[in-house]
C-alpha cells in the first residue's frame, strides 16, 4: 500500500513534468500528448490528462488555441506560456538534482 | 434491427444505439460525479466529451458505419479510462463517487427467463427468491378459485417488461453504472447468455408443436404440389392433343362444331394457337411452381419466367384481339321473309322430317363422289342439332285472308347490314309439302365454310279458321306458345299425335279426337 502510494506520487509528479516537456516542443493536441506518453511507456488513460491540462492551464503554465479540424469541430491545441517555460527550466534543474541523487544513492549502495 | 438515438455530444450529431447510449450516459454521469468537486469540472467534462465525440467520428469513419454500437463505447471508455483508473492517478480529487443506483431494484417482467410472461421470474429477481418457489406459489394460487390466474393477468398488464439493458439491470438489482454495464456487456459477449437464455417449458412445448405442425403442413403442401403437377401435366397433355387434333387433322372438320363454327376459317388456326398459349402457359407456370415447392429447388430462372410471361401475354392479347374481332361480326342483324302459299286442305299433318337429301356439301365432307349417291338420303338420327344453338322455331297463327301460307323468316348477324343479309340469304331450310303432309326439317343448313352468325329461321304457318292440324309431340321443342302438355286430356292417353283446330281465338286442342 505504501509502495503503491509512493509510486503514484512519483508517477504523478513525473507525469506533469513529461506533459510540460512534450508541450514545450510545440503546439500539440491532447490525444497526441497521450500518444507521446504511451511511446514513453508512461501509460495513462486519456481521462486523467484533461484535468491535468486544465489545472496547468489555470495555473498559467499553459494556454491553448482553437485550431480548425478537417473532420468535425475545432480542437484545442496546447502550448506553453512564459511562465510554463520557466517552470520547465526549473523542473529540468530539479530533475537533474533528483537524477543525481538517485544515481549517487545507488552507487553508494554498491 | 435496433433502435437508435441521435445525440449531440461535443457539438457533433452522433447516431447511437440505445444500449450504447445507456452505457455512455452511465459513463459520463460517473465522470461528471468524479470531477464534480473540482473547480474546473465543466471544462474538464467538456474536453472529455469533445474527445469522445472525436473518437466516435474516427471509428465510424474508419469502419464506414453510421451508428455507434456498444463495443464502440466500450472501446472509447477503455481509451479514455474509467473513473477507477482516474482515482489511481489523481488522488487529491475527492474520490467518493456516489454509489449511483446501487441496490436500487425495480420490478420488471423477465421475459428472457419467464415461462409465460415472465411475471414469476420478475418477482424472483425482485424478492431474491428462487423462481421455482414463486412458481409453486403461483401454481397453488391458480387452484384457489382461479384467483391466481386473474392476479397473474393483472400483473402481466401492469408490470412492464424489461426490454433495455438498464431495465434488465435494475430488475436484477445490478448497479446501473459503468461497471455494471461493462460486466453485463462482457457476460453477454462471453457466452451470449442473455440472448440464448434457456426458454421456458411452455415456450418449448409451443416450439415443438410448431415444428410438428410445420412438418405436417409441409408434407401436406408437398402432396398438394405433387397432385397439381400430375393434374397439370394431364391437362397440358390434353391441351396438346386437342391442339393437334384441331390443327392437324383437318379431316375431322371442326368448323361444324361450336364454338369453332363462329370463327372465320382464315384465322381459325392463329386463334386456336393463341387460346392454346393463353391456357397452356399458366398451366406450365403452375406445374413449375409446384415442382419448386415439391423439391425445394429453383425450378426456373428469371429469364425463363419472363419469357413465359411475354409468351402468355402475347397469347392472351391475340385471343382477345380475335375474340373482339369475331364478336364485332355480330354487330348488325338482318332478316328477310319468304312467304309460300300452300295448297289448301282441311287437315294438315305436320311432320318433322329427319331425312334429308344428300347434298353437294355432304359429298365434299364425306369425300364421296356425289354422282354415285345422287338422290340418296342420309338419315339423321340426331334429335336436335348439337352443332348449333337452337335456331328453328315454328308458330301457328290464324290466317285472315283464308289462305294457307308459310312465312319463313330468315335472320342472321354480321359486321354490317349487308354482311348480315348475305348470311341470312345463305340459310337453307328444308320444307316441303306432299299433299296434306307438311315436312319440316329439324335444322337449317348453311353452305359449307359459312360461319355461325346467329342464323335462325322463324316459321309462321297461317291457317284459316276450321282447319285441323295433326301435331307430333316432337314439335314441342319448335313450337312457340303451344305444346302437347297443354293438350293433356282427362283420359290418360299417351298419344304422340294430337289434333288441334284453328278457331277465332287461335289454335285449340281437340281433346275428344281420340273418342
Amino acid at each position: 500500500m505504501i509502495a503503491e502510494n509512493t509510486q503514484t506520487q512519483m508517477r504523478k509528479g513525473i507525469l506533469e513534468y513529461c506533459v510540460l516537456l512534450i508541450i514545450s516542443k510545440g503546439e500539440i493536441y491532447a490525444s497526441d500528448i497521450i500518444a507521446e506518453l504511451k511511446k514513453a511507456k508512461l501509460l495513462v488513460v486519456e481521462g486523467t490528462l484533461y484535468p491535468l491540462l486544465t489545472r496547468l492551464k489555470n495555473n498559467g503554465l499553459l494556454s491553448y488555441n482553437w485550431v480548425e479540424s478537417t473532420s468535425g469541430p475545432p480542437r484545442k491545441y496546447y502550448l506553453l506560456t512564459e511562465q510554463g517555460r520557466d517552470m520547465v527550466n526549473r523542473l529540468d534543474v530539479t530533475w537533474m538534482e533528483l537524477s543525481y541523487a538517485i544515481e549517487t544513492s545507488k552507487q553508494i549502495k554498491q | 434491427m435496433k433502435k437508435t438515438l441521435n445525440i449531440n455530444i461535443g457539438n457533433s450529431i452522433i447516431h447511437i444505439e440505445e444500449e450504447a447510449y445507456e452505457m455512455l450516459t452511465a459513463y459520463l454521469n460517473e465522470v461528471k460525479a468524479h470531477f464534480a468537486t473540482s473547480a474546473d469540472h465543466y471544462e474538464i467534462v467538456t474536453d472529455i466529451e469533445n474527445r469522445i465525440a472525436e473518437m466516435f467520428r474516427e471509428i465510424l469513419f474508419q469502419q464506414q458505419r453510421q451508428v455507434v454500437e456498444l463495443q464502440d463505447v466500450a472501446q472509447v471508455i477503455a481509451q479514455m479510462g474509467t473513473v477507477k483508473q482516474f482515482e489511481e492517478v489523481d488522488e487529491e480529487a475527492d474520490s467518493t463517487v456516489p454509489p449511483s443506483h446501487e441496490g436500487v431494484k425495480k420490478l420488471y417482467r423477465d421475459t428472457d427467463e419467464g415461462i409465460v410472461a415472465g411475471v414469476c421470474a420478475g418477482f424472483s429477481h425482485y424478492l431474491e427468491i428462487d423462481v421455482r418457489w414463486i412458481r409453486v406459489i403461483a401454481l397453488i394460487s391458480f387452484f384457489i378459485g382461479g384467483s391466481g390466474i386473474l392476479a397473474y393477468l393483472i400483473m402481466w398488464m401492469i408490470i412492464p417488461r424489461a426490454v433495455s439493458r438498464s431495465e434488465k439491470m435494475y430488475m436484477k438489482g445490478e448497479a446501473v453504472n459503468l461497471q455494471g454495464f461493462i460486466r453485463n456487456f462482457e457476460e453477454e459477449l462471453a457466452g451470449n447468455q442473455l440472448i440464448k437464455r434457456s426458454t421456458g417449458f411452455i415456450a418449448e412445448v409451443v416450439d415443438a408443436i410448431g415444428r410438428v405442425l410445420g412438418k405436417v403442413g409441409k408434407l401436406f403442401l408437398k402432396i398438394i404440389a405433387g397432385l397439381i403437377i400430375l393434374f397439370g401435366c394431364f391437362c397440358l397433355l390434353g391441351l396438346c392433343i386437342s391442339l393437334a387434333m384441331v390443327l392437324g387433322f383437318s379431316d375431322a372438320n371442326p368448323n361444324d362444331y361450336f364454338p369453332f363454327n363462329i370463327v372465320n376459317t382464315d384465322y381459325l388456326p392463329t386463334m386456336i394457337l393463341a387460346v392454346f398459349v393463353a391456357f397452356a402457359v399458366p398451366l406450365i407456370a403452375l406445374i413449375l411452381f409446384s415442382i419448386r415447392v415439391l423439391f425445394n429447388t429453383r425450378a426456373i430462372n428469371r429469364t425463363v419466367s419472363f419469357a413465359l410471361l411475354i409468351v402468355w401475354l402475347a397469347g392472351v392479347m391475340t385471343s382477345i384481339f380475335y375474340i373482339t374481332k369475331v364478336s364485332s361480326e355480330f354487330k348488325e342483324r338482318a332478316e328477310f321473309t319468304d312467304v309460300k302459299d300452300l295448297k289448301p286442305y282441311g287437315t294438315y299433318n305436320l311432320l318433322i322430317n329427319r331425312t334429308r337429301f344428300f347434298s353437294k356439301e355432304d359429298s365434299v365432307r364425306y369425300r364421296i363422289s356425289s354422282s354415285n349417291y345422287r338422290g340418296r338420303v342420309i338419315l339423321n338420327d340426331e334429335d336436335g342439332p348439337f352443332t348449333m344453338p337452337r335456331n328453328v322455331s315454328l308458330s301457328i297463327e290464324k290466317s285472315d285472308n283464308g289462305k294457307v301460307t308459310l312465312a319463313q323468316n330468315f335472320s342472321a348477324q354480321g359486321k354490317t347490314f349487308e354482311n348480315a343479309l348475305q348470311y341470312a340469304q345463305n340459310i337453307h331450310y328444308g320444307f316441303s309439302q306432299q299433299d296434306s303432309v307438311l315436312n319440316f326439317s329439324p335444322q337449317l343448313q348453311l353452305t359449307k365454310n359459312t360461319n355461325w352468325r346467329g342464323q335462325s329461321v322463324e316459321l309462321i304457318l297461317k291457317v284459316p279458321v276450321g282447319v285441323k292440324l295433326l301435331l307430333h309431340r316432337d314439335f314441342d321443342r319448335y313450337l312457340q306458345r303451344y305444346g302437347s302438355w297443354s293438350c293433356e286430356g282427362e283420359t290418360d292417353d299417351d298419344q304422340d299425335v294430337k289434333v288441334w283446330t284453328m278457331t277465332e281465338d287461335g289454335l285449340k286442342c281437340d281433346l275428344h279426337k281420340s273418342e
Side-chain angles (χ1 to χ4, degrees):
Chain A
M1 194 67 199
I2 292 166
E4 260 176 41
N5 205 4
T6 315
Q7 278 173 347
T8 311
Q9 293 297 331
M10 277 166 67
R11 216 179 257 135
K12 220 177 103 186
I14 288 164
L15 177 70
E16 214 168 302
Y17 178 40
C18 284
V19 167
L20 285 171
L21 276 177
I22 289 164
I23 298 173
S24 72
K25 287 186 277 181
E27 224 178 40
I28 192 165
Y29 182 53
S31 67
D32 297 333
I33 299 172
I34 293 283
E36 297 257 333
L37 287 173
K38 279 192 179 153
K39 225 192 289 172
K41 302 221 169 148
L42 196 64
L43 287 168
V44 280
V45 287
E46 277 192 43
T48 52
L49 186 66
Y50 293 101
L52 177 63
L53 289 173
T54 310
R55 189 156 51 79
L56 292 175
K57 186 206 75 180
N58 288 346
N59 290 338
L61 303 176
L62 296 178
S63 71
Y64 61 82
N65 293 322
W66 289 105
V67 176
E68 288 294 327
S69 159
T70 47
S71 62
R75 298 158 148 195
K76 267 181 186 174
Y77 276 72
Y78 289 92
L79 65 159
L80 287 185
T81 56
E82 276 306 309
Q83 215 181 326
R85 246 167 245 294
D86 286 349
M87 180 74 176
V88 172
N89 291 335
R90 268 189 283 146
L91 285 173
D92 277 343
V93 175
T94 315
W95 180 248
M96 294 289 201
E97 290 167 5
L98 286 172
S99 181
Y100 176 76
I102 287 164
E103 288 298 315
T104 348
S105 306
K106 280 185 178 171
Q107 274 170 11
I108 288 165
K109 211 174 185 181
Q110 275 177 0
Chain B
M1 196 191 75
K2 279 177 180 171
K3 194 171 158 190
T4 67
L5 303 164
N6 282 330
I7 55 166
N8 178 359
I9 177 168
N11 275 327
S12 310
I13 305 289
I14 303 271
H15 298 289
I16 187 165
E17 280 180 2
E18 201 174 20
E19 286 188 341
Y21 169 77
E22 283 173 3
M23 188 164 171
L24 182 65
T25 313
Y27 174 70
L28 286 175
N29 283 338
E30 276 186 22
V31 168
K32 276 179 199 166
H34 177 79
F35 292 114
T37 48
S38 156
D40 331 302
H41 78 276
Y42 179 74
E43 197 173 354
I44 295 166
V45 170
T46 311
D47 279 351
I48 289 174
E49 282 189 359
N50 286 345
R51 179 62 189 148
I52 288 173
E54 193 177 67
M55 285 194 273
F56 281 157
R57 277 199 309 275
E58 279 167 10
I59 290 168
L60 293 182
F61 179 77
Q62 277 165 18
Q63 302 183 11
Q64 296 291 311
R65 279 191 286 128
Q66 301 278 320
V67 181
V68 172
E69 290 166 10
L70 204 57
Q71 69 260 30
D72 301 335
V73 175
Q75 186 192 327
V76 163
I77 289 170
Q79 203 176 335
M80 191 56 84
T82 58
V83 171
K84 221 175 184 176
Q85 284 169 306
F86 297 172
E87 283 161 9
E88 281 171 12
V89 179
D90 188 299
E91 255 151 332
E92 42 184 53
D94 199 4
S95 64
T96 52
V97 180
S100 56
H101 313 302
E102 196 83 68
V104 175
K105 235 180 206 189
K106 290 183 184 173
L107 182 58
Y108 284 102
R109 282 187 293 117
D110 184 357
T111 47
D112 290 332
E113 290 174 4
I115 287 180
V116 181
V119 172
C120 292
F123 271 107
S124 98
H125 288 305
Y126 192 72
L127 303 173
E128 284 176 11
I129 300 172
D130 193 316
V131 68
R132 273 169 279 195
W133 297 117
I134 295 182
R135 282 188 184 138
V136 166
I137 293 166
L139 213 66
I140 290 167
S141 75
F142 281 1
F143 291 106
I144 307 172
S147 59
I149 295 173
L150 191 68
Y152 190 91
L153 288 175
I154 289 170
M155 281 188 282
W156 188 345
M157 278 188 278
I158 292 171
I159 302 170
R161 191 165 76 112
V163 181
S164 73
R165 190 182 292 272
S166 63
E167 279 167 348
K168 282 173 188 165
M169 284 161 74
Y170 274 127
M171 175 177 76
K172 290 171 187 167
E174 290 172 11
V176 183
N177 54 21
L178 193 67
Q179 278 79 34
F181 264 112
I182 288 174
R183 198 168 51 237
N184 199 312
F185 180 56
E186 278 165 0
E187 264 171 25
E188 189 177 312
L189 283 183
N192 258 345
Q193 283 176 335
L194 256 179
I195 291 167
K196 283 184 134 184
R197 267 303 160 166
S198 63
T199 42
F201 167 70
I202 289 178
E204 266 175 34
V205 168
V206 167
D207 207 44
I209 290 172
R211 244 176 297 139
V212 168
L213 275 182
K215 271 190 187 149
V216 169
K218 224 174 226 172
L219 191 72
F220 192 62
L221 212 68
K222 290 209 166 172
I223 290 171
I224 287 178
L227 287 177
I228 287 175
I229 292 171
L230 212 66
F231 182 71
C233 285
F234 273 125
C235 283
L236 203 62
L237 198 69
L239 261 180
C240 289
I241 289 172
S242 17
L243 179 76
M245 263 171 63
V246 168
L247 286 184
F249 304 99
S250 53
D251 274 9
N253 198 337
N255 296 6
D256 288 347
Y257 301 99
F258 187 81
F260 301 107
N261 54 10
I262 292 181
V263 185
N264 302 19
T265 28
D266 39 339
Y267 49 75
L268 186 67
T270 324
M271 186 166 167
I272 287 172
L273 260 178
V275 171
F276 171 76
V277 165
F279 280 102
V281 168
L283 216 54
I284 290 169
L286 191 70
I287 291 168
L288 289 179
F289 180 73
S290 304
I291 287 171
R292 196 170 152 181
V293 171
L294 189 59
F295 300 111
N296 285 332
T297 49
R298 277 184 60 84
I300 45 172
N301 63 28
R302 197 169 276 269
T303 327
V304 172
S305 54
F306 198 67
L308 271 179
L309 182 71
I310 295 284
V311 168
W312 180 72
L313 279 178
V316 168
M317 292 303 223
T318 317
S319 306
I320 289 172
F321 172 74
Y322 281 121
I323 285 166
T324 46
K325 196 166 174 173
V326 167
S327 55
S328 78
E329 304 227 358
F330 288 83
K331 221 160 77 187
E332 296 287 337
R333 170 168 275 279
E335 59 174 76
F336 72 96
T337 311
D338 177 27
V339 184
K340 271 184 187 166
D341 283 344
L342 302 180
K343 283 179 216 155
Y345 288 94
T347 306
Y348 285 103
N349 192 3
L350 275 64
L351 290 178
I352 286 179
N353 193 350
R354 290 216 169 77
T355 59
R356 61 191 173 95
F357 288 95
F358 193 80
S359 66
K360 207 176 173 183
E361 279 93 42
D362 290 329
S363 74
V364 174
R365 179 183 301 175
Y366 299 111
R367 302 238 168 127
I368 300 166
S369 165
S370 60
S371 54
N372 297 336
Y373 290 87
R374 193 171 296 279
R376 299 215 178 171
V377 296
I378 296 169
L379 261 171
N380 189 348
D381 254 353
E382 285 173 40
D383 192 23
F386 270 127
T387 54
M388 271 179 215
R390 188 148 319 286
N391 45 32
V392 178
S393 69
L394 171 67
S395 56
I396 300 166
E397 290 173 11
K398 187 180 65 161
S399 169
D400 294 327
N401 50 16
K403 279 184 186 169
V404 185
T405 56
L406 180 73
Q408 298 177 59
N409 209 337
F410 299 100
S411 69
Q413 280 159 294
K415 208 183 288 179
T416 58
F417 183 75
E418 287 79 7
N419 201 251
L421 200 63
Q422 217 176 340
Y423 276 117
Q425 279 164 345
N426 275 330
I427 300 170
H428 303 290
Y429 182 71
F431 168 77
S432 61
Q433 184 181 16
Q434 290 175 311
D435 301 327
S436 67
V437 179
L438 304 180
N439 284 312
F440 291 91
S441 169
Q443 65 195 58
L444 45 82
Q445 280 185 303
L446 310 174
T447 36
K448 189 175 161 60
N449 288 342
T450 307
N451 298 304
W452 185 78
R453 289 293 177 265
Q455 288 98 332
S456 68
V457 59
E458 196 189 345
L459 304 166
I460 303 162
L461 180 67
K462 290 196 175 183
V463 291
V465 176
V467 171
K468 281 189 181 354
L469 298 173
L470 276 71
L471 281 175
H472 192 265
R473 196 193 284 275
D474 286 352
F475 272 97
D476 281 0
R477 59 189 336 178
Y478 304 105
L479 211 54
Q480 309 277 317
R481 281 193 289 166
Y482 306 104
S484 60
W485 62 88
S486 61
C487 202
E488 300 286 340
E490 304 89 48
T491 49
D492 208 22
D493 56 353
D494 199 25
Q495 299 173 44
D496 280 347
V497 179
K498 296 268 163 59
V499 180
W500 300 71
T501 312
M502 184 53 78
T503 65
E504 283 296 336
D505 302 324
L507 208 57
K508 281 270 164 64
C509 176
D510 195 348
L511 289 171
H512 307 290
K513 197 257 158 190
S514 50
E515 290 165 9

